[in-house]
Amino acid sequence: MNIRKKSFIFFYVFILLFLLYSGMVFAEEESVVPRLTLFDCVSEALQNHSEILFAEYDLQDAIWELERLKMEDPRQVALKDLKEKEETVRRAREALREVKMNLALEIEESYYQILKTVQTVESKKRSLEWSKKQLEIVKIKYDGGLVSEKDLLMIKEKVETEEKGLTYAYFNLETAKMGFSLKMGWELDRVFELTDQKFPYDPMEVDLTESIQYANQHTQNLKNAKRAVEDAEEFLELKEKTYVPKKECEKAKHALEKAHYLLEEAKKEMIIRVRNAYVSINSSCDNVNNALEAYQKTEKELEILKIKYDAGMIALLEMVNGHSNLIDAESGWIQAIYDYNLAKASFNQTVGKGYSLYIEMSGSDNDE
């Protein structure tokens, strides 16, 4: 009897422990924060974002209207009406692609904004840790009569300033995440983390001549202008083959001349846009290199100032100012990398390459 009772108690305790452990595991799984790559974010947005869905509805409506027209008696369908419906479908398809490309670019920008604020938070943390460490050192020196009360108050004030700066940095990070959630179509309080914790700085080699040639073939404005010339040529050919008043043929010729003119203007504008984007991406790359050099130089200067301060050669204020200069230099480096990534994405958009992740997911640069 005692053995059975002990076995029952043991079994009961075992089940209880198992349930407790399962509950802990389940709770731990529930609390796991999703970690997202840029690819994950863009992929999800392109599949579920309301702007995409609305553009897809418009395209589907245009296709339905075209199919309905084709199902009617061909003798009752004018060629002009058919062309208009086909043009509506084409424009709806281009609009869908444009919405996807713009959304992907906006998400990339917002993604980098979070990375920038994350780096700022980490920088503020390191700065606060440094200031607190210096405060402890100064307190010891003050108690030993080695530094003045003015120095003690100064370093205390710096710690307070750094604490406020870190608080603001966390607030800005939360705001950046809310802005990202808005772009993604999520609730503003969505909890997530990004897998990247540093900027993906990957300098891109750019050839101006090749970029202009590529843009001449792939930018949407030029595609539209070239298509307008083709349509005008077809329209003129149709007028010349039919018996229409001479005035109608002249109008068609003038329309063709205008289409050619607009095409040439579009080419000139494209060249200027590509050249400006070329300057922007190269200058952004130079800014990153200069900012890094400035940061490394300031870092070495602070090391020298610390040695001098420990040797009693300079005042505490000079070393504190040196540390502030280092934080400013680091902020400049972070901003330079952020600006470069945006310039790189903008350059790809300008030359018609579109958004690399979008093309990788779709398998091509067209939504046909």
Side-chain angles (χ1 to χ4, degrees):
M1 189 70 178
N2 291 335
I3 296 176
R4 291 181 62 186
K5 186 175 182 180
K6 289 181 180 179
S7 299
F8 177 79
I9 294 174
F10 175 80
F11 178 76
Y12 177 81
V13 172
F14 174 80
I15 294 297
L16 181 62
L17 291 174
F18 175 79
L19 291 175
L20 288 172
Y21 175 78
S22 300
M24 292 173 61
V25 171
F26 179 76
E28 184 178 350
E29 290 178 351
E30 284 288 308
S31 63
V32 171
V33 177
R35 294 177 58 80
L36 306 172
T37 65
L38 179 57
F39 186 94
D40 295 333
C41 297
V42 174
S43 179
E44 179 177 340
L46 293 181
Q47 293 177 15
N48 304 313
H49 202 281
S50 58
E51 292 183 13
I52 304 294
L53 296 179
F54 294 147
E56 288 176 343
Y57 293 156
D58 293 339
L59 174 59
Q60 193 60 52
D61 288 342
I63 293 175
W64 284 341
E65 288 296 321
L66 176 61
E67 293 300 324
R68 184 182 64 80
L69 188 65
K70 288 180 178 180
M71 291 174 63
E72 295 179 358
D73 188 345
R75 291 171 296 180
Q76 301 297 323
V77 178
L79 179 61
K80 178 181 178 182
D81 293 337
L82 187 61
K83 286 285 187 182
E84 287 180 354
K85 295 299 182 183
E86 291 175 344
E87 180 66 14
T88 301
V89 171
R90 183 185 65 80
R91 289 179 179 176
R93 183 170 283 112
E94 289 180 357
L96 173 59
R97 181 179 184 275
E98 192 71 18
V99 169
K100 288 182 177 180
M101 301 288 277
N102 290 337
L103 179 62
L105 184 61
E106 289 176 3
I107 290 172
E108 180 185 31
E109 292 176 354
S110 189
Y111 188 95
Y112 289 149
Q113 180 67 36
I114 293 178
L115 293 185
K116 186 176 77 169
T117 51
V118 167
Q119 292 297 302
T120 301
V121 166
E122 294 302 317
S123 176
K124 294 294 184 182
K125 283 182 180 178
R126 291 192 296 270
S127 181
L128 178 58
E129 290 173 1
W130 185 91
S131 298
K132 285 183 175 181
K133 181 179 179 181
Q134 295 305 314
L135 176 59
E136 295 300 319
I137 295 174
V138 171
K139 280 182 179 180
I140 295 173
K141 289 185 176 182
Y142 176 75
D143 292 339
L146 300 176
V147 297
S148 66
E149 184 179 5
K150 180 180 178 181
D151 286 343
L152 179 62
L153 294 175
M154 180 187 65
I155 196 66
K156 283 184 177 181
E157 183 178 348
K158 181 170 175 59
V159 170
E160 293 175 358
T161 301
E162 297 291 355
E163 288 175 339
K164 290 180 180 179
L166 180 58
T167 300
Y168 292 145
Y170 274 120
F171 180 83
N172 291 336
L173 176 58
E174 193 67 22
T175 303
K177 286 187 173 183
M178 292 173 69
F180 184 78
S181 295
L182 180 63
K183 296 292 184 184
M184 290 292 297
W186 299 336
E187 295 297 326
L188 295 185
D189 59 353
R190 172 78 174 264
V191 178
F192 65 92
E193 296 293 340
L194 305 183
T195 55
D196 297 317
Q197 292 302 309
K198 291 186 178 181
F199 284 111
Y201 177 58
D202 183 20
M204 182 174 67
E205 292 290 334
V206 177
D207 183 275
L208 180 59
T209 302
E210 291 179 359
S211 299
I212 291 176
Q213 291 174 348
Y214 189 93
N216 186 53
Q217 298 295 324
H218 296 87
T219 52
Q220 195 60 49
N221 287 343
L222 281 178
K223 286 182 178 180
N224 293 339
K226 291 175 182 178
R227 187 176 291 112
V229 170
E230 294 172 358
D231 292 342
E233 289 174 341
E234 291 180 4
F235 185 69
L236 175 59
E237 184 179 355
L238 178 63
K239 291 296 183 181
E240 291 176 338
K241 288 182 178 179
T242 57
Y243 295 99
V244 296
K246 183 178 180 180
K247 188 66 175 178
E248 292 295 323
C249 288
E250 290 179 355
K251 286 183 179 179
K253 289 180 180 179
H254 292 161
L256 179 57
E257 290 177 0
K258 182 178 179 180
H260 276 294
Y261 171 78
L262 293 177
L263 174 58
E264 292 304 314
E265 290 298 301
K267 288 181 179 180
K268 295 175 185 177
E269 292 173 358
M270 174 273 294
I271 292 174
I272 293 174
R273 287 197 302 270
V274 173
R275 290 178 67 90
N276 287 334
Y278 176 81
V279 171
S280 178
I281 190 173
N282 280 289
S283 61
S284 296
C285 184
D286 291 339
N287 290 340
V288 172
N289 295 330
N290 293 336
L292 176 58
E293 290 179 4
Y295 173 74
Q296 293 173 337
K297 179 181 178 182
T298 309
E299 192 174 34
K300 292 179 180 179
E301 289 175 350
L302 179 60
E303 293 175 359
I304 295 173
L305 289 174
K306 186 178 183 305
I307 294 173
K308 289 183 177 181
Y309 174 73
D310 292 340
M313 299 173 62
I314 61 173
L316 175 63
L317 178 60
E318 191 170 346
M319 187 179 68
V320 169
N321 289 338
H323 179 259
S324 298
N325 292 338
L326 178 64
I327 298 303
D328 291 340
E330 185 177 17
S331 298
W333 183 29
I334 293 171
Q335 183 65 44
I337 296 176
Y338 174 76
D339 292 339
Y340 175 80
N341 279 286
L342 296 190
K344 182 178 179 180
S346 178
F347 180 85
N348 286 332
Q349 292 285 85
T350 300
V351 300
K353 290 184 177 180
Y355 185 75
S356 58
L357 287 183
Y358 166 71
I359 294 175
E360 182 180 343
M361 280 181 276
S362 62
S364 68
D365 60 353
N366 293 306
D367 279 304
E368 298 296 342

